[in-house]
């Protein structure tokens, strides 16, 4: 097939925020773009649910907007999407009693500040403190452990100590999208449609055969149950790290020739695991939950604990739903259970954290929603973390291959932007700039 006869100038593989950002930016520069997504929806790990009977939209995927990234804030302003501050309310649950933590960041920082650049080397967080023991109050250590395994979704034995030096829970202000994070996805999709991007959902990419200046993508149409090939000059690969690491099975992609320069990097990068469940409570049950943190009508905030299967809970709006969260090893253990067993574990954890009899929580729960990102074949994990000894891996993964294959996604973002929506969005813009810098010319007009 001649270049001018190919289906696209650029094929974007993956319809999450990174893929949509790249597709939109390239289409603005009059490149013919085809975007491929395996799921029957766009948005990737942004997954907002609005089931009937729930008091407000809730997120089963990404939820927070961080203050420090200019790209995502320009997008939010352009799309006129309303955001609100995440309430800075944190409570520590211990043996059925609740106390407010007014200095959560300071207490986490009291641990992470002990990590020095010189001492960190290629050590993991756990290895660092074994090699450089410090007297740390147990309560502060548990909060730091919860930060690493929950917020970072990483095992302490694997995450880079260097990446956590001086880290805090809220290094920048945190925001959320009350109307649903999927508003960001809807805006990007509408923009891509306006600009002429061809978006194909339920289209699973199986193979990428490439040579300099030419890419052939082998796909499987889930609805038609039919294989198809698409050809372009270049491709932007925005697949999650877990999918790029997969060697076989549903969702795995074969690159021909193989990406020899990327394989070593991919094999050592870390994909975090998370288990998340949303519970809807009866109005009476909700009042009882709120009563545990004092008389109030607003949002509950965050409750931190240890010694239970789901150690972190939050409710950030004045409603009647609450989210349970476990990351790292806790999440891995939960994913070995059946859905019914996970729900039971969640209810038992919430009862223990709040110090409410189990029967009371059982009566209060009227519905639940969960999503298994770890076993989702098109994500194979929640989000990436910086593994010990791999502090520059994201930059290596982000490097283009022979001006033909370009890479984006949160795993290619730099530093603290790894694992975030804004990191994914900015990476898509960066990949688009790289494509344009490689002199990929449009073959025709829309």
């Amino acid at each position: 097939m001649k270049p001018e006869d190919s289906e696209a100038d650029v094929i974007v593989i993956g319809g999450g925020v990174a893929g949509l950002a790249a597709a939109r930016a390239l289409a603005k520069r009059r490149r013919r773009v085809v975007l491929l997504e395996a799921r029957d929806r766009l948005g990737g790990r942004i997954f907002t649910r609005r089931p009937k009977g729930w008091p407000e939209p809730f997120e089963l995927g990404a939820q927070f907007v961080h203050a420090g990234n200019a790209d995502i804030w320009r997008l939010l302003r352009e799309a006129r999407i309303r955001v609100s501050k995440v309430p800075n309310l944190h409570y520590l649950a211990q043996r059925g009693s609740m106390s407010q933590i007014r200095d959560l960041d300071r207490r986490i920082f009291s641990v992470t500040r002990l990590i020095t650049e010189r001492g960190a080397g290629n050590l993991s967080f756990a290895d660092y403190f074994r090699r450089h023991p410090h007297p740390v109050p147990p309560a502060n250590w548990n909060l730091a452990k919860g930060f690493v395994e929950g917020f970072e979704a990483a095992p302490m034995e694997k995450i880079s100590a260097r990446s956590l030096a001086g880290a805090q829970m809220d290094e920048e202000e945190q925001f959320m999208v009350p109307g649903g994070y999927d508003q960001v996805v809807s805006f990007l999709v509408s923009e891509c449609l306006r600009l002429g991007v061809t978006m194909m959902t339920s289209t699973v990419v199986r193979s990428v055969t490439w040579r300099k200046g030419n890419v052939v993508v082998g796909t499987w149409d889930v609805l038609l149950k039919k294989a198809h090939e698409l050809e372009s000059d270049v491709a932007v690969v925005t697949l999650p790290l877990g999918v790029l690491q997969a060697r076989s099975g549903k969702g795995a992609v074969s690159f021909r020739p193989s990406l020899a320069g990327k394989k070593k990097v991919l094999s050592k990068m870390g994909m975090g695991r998370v288990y998340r469940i949303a519970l809807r409570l009866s109005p009476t049950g909700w009042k009882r939950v709120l009563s545990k943190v004092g008389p109030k009508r607003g949002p509950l905030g965050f409750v931190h604990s240890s010694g239970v299967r789901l150690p972190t809970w939050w409710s950030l709006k004045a409603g009647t739903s609450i989210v349970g969260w476990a990351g790292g090893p806790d999440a891995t253990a939960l994913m070995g259970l059946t859905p019914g067993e996970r729900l039971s574990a969640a209810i038992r954890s919430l009862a223990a954290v709040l110090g409410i009899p189990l029967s009371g929580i059982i009566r209060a729960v009227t519905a639940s929603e969960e999503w298994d990102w770890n076993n989702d074949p098109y994500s194979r994990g929640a989000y990436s973390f910086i593994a010990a000894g791999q502090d520059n891996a994201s930059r290596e993964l982000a490097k283009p291959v022979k001006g033909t294959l370009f890479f984006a996604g949160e795993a290619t973002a730099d530093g603290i932007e790894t694992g975030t929506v804004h990191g994914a969005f900015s990476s898509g813009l960066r990949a688009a700039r790289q494509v344009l810098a490689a002199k990929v010319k449009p073959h025709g007009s829309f």
Side-chain angles (χ1 to χ4, degrees):
M1 182 180 289
K2 296 178 181 179
E4 61 268 22
D5 296 329
S6 62
E7 288 91 343
D9 302 321
V10 185
I11 292 176
V12 175
I13 301 173
V17 166
L20 291 167
R24 179 195 185 210
L26 289 164
K28 278 185 174 181
R29 297 293 296 272
R30 302 186 67 80
R31 273 40 175 198
R32 296 177 302 156
V33 181
V34 173
L35 182 146
L36 306 176
E37 169 56 44
R39 297 183 179 92
D40 61 0
R41 61 175 182 84
L42 295 163
R45 284 165 281 172
I46 289 180
F47 189 19
T48 308
R49 296 277 288 122
R50 294 179 172 79
K52 185 177 180 181
W54 286 69
E56 68 274 316
F58 63 88
E59 311 294 348
L60 285 176
Q63 181 161 2
F64 301 110
V65 181
H66 305 271
N69 180 279
D71 291 330
I72 196 71
W73 284 96
R74 276 193 292 269
L75 174 67
L76 291 167
R77 287 192 294 270
E78 182 183 1
R80 298 182 180 179
I81 294 173
R82 184 175 72 88
V83 300
S84 61
K85 280 188 180 181
V86 172
N88 188 24
L89 295 168
H90 295 270
Y91 299 89
L92 180 63
Q94 293 178 304
R95 295 180 292 277
S97 66
M98 199 89 65
S99 58
Q100 188 170 357
I101 314 172
R102 301 185 185 277
D103 58 350
L104 177 66
D105 285 342
R106 183 190 66 79
R107 293 172 72 173
I108 292 172
F109 181 68
S110 74
V111 178
T112 61
R113 71 176 178 81
L114 299 172
I115 302 171
T116 65
E117 184 79 13
R118 182 176 180 180
N122 293 329
L123 297 176
S124 71
F125 182 83
D127 284 338
Y128 180 87
F129 283 97
R130 277 194 285 265
R131 187 169 298 186
H132 307 286
H134 292 81
V136 175
N140 288 6
W141 178 257
N142 283 335
L143 288 171
K145 178 177 182 288
F147 167 69
V148 172
E149 295 185 345
F151 192 80
E152 300 288 348
M156 295 199 300
E157 301 287 348
K158 293 185 178 181
I159 191 169
S160 162
R162 187 191 302 272
S163 73
L164 294 169
Q168 303 173 56
M169 183 78 77
D170 296 320
E171 294 178 273
E172 302 280 357
E173 286 184 302
Q174 306 286 326
F175 296 81
M176 57 186 178
V177 185
Y181 221 147
D182 60 347
Q183 292 177 90
V184 171
V185 177
S186 296
F187 176 76
L188 289 172
V189 169
S190 65
E191 281 286 283
C192 285
L193 289 171
R194 179 181 66 82
L195 293 164
V197 175
T198 300
M199 291 180 284
M200 301 170 63
T201 56
S202 299
T203 304
V204 180
V205 172
R206 289 177 162 179
S207 64
V208 177
T209 304
W210 65 280
R211 65 178 188 274
K212 185 173 175 58
N214 179 261
V215 179
V216 177
V217 179
T219 70
W220 176 257
D221 188 311
V222 174
L223 300 179
L224 297 178
K225 294 182 171 52
K226 182 179 178 181
H228 181 65
E229 287 187 344
L230 297 98
E231 189 168 3
S232 66
D233 297 345
V234 301
V236 177
V237 180
T238 73
L239 297 169
L241 175 62
V243 175
L244 288 173
Q245 290 174 327
R247 294 184 178 181
S248 61
K250 188 176 180 181
V253 179
S254 170
F255 287 85
R256 306 165 185 164
S258 66
L259 303 178
K262 304 286 186 188
K263 275 187 174 181
K264 187 176 180 180
V265 173
L266 286 167
S267 68
K268 295 182 179 180
M269 294 180 75
M271 189 63 170
R273 291 181 174 271
V274 160
Y275 174 68
R276 176 180 186 146
I277 186 169
L279 302 178
R280 188 183 76 191
L281 307 182
S282 66
T284 301
W286 182 246
K287 288 179 182 177
R288 192 170 186 185
V289 168
L290 283 182
S291 72
K292 299 301 293 185
V293 297
K296 60 186 296 185
R297 294 183 179 179
L300 171 68
F302 297 86
V303 180
H304 307 269
S305 65
S306 59
V308 294
R309 284 187 156 182
L310 280 88
T312 305
W313 292 84
W314 69 73
S315 181
L316 307 179
K317 293 180 276 189
T320 56
S321 63
I322 189 167
V323 172
W325 177 278
D330 288 334
T332 300
L334 282 162
M335 297 326 299
L337 305 178
T338 66
E341 289 170 336
R342 290 197 293 269
L343 175 59
S344 176
I347 291 173
R348 288 178 180 278
S349 295
L350 183 57
V353 166
L354 296 175
I356 294 175
L358 179 60
S359 59
I361 294 294
I362 291 174
R363 287 195 301 271
V365 174
T366 60
S368 66
E369 292 274 350
E370 67 167 12
W371 191 261
D372 182 359
W373 294 105
N374 308 297
N375 293 311
D376 182 326
Y378 307 125
S379 62
R380 299 198 182 211
Y383 45 83
S384 63
F385 63 86
I386 300 174
Q390 301 299 313
D391 294 88
N392 295 317
S394 60
R395 293 191 190 95
E396 291 299 314
L397 181 59
K399 289 180 179 178
V401 177
K402 295 189 176 181
T404 302
L405 297 180
F406 300 83
F407 296 83
E410 52 84 9
T412 71
D414 285 335
I416 61 171
E417 297 200 338
T418 299
T420 65
V421 171
H422 63 264
F425 182 72
S426 291
S427 77
L429 299 181
R430 183 253 306 145
R433 290 193 297 270
Q434 290 173 328
V435 170
L436 296 170
K439 311 296 184 187
V440 176
K441 298 179 180 179
H443 293 312
S445 59
F446 295 116

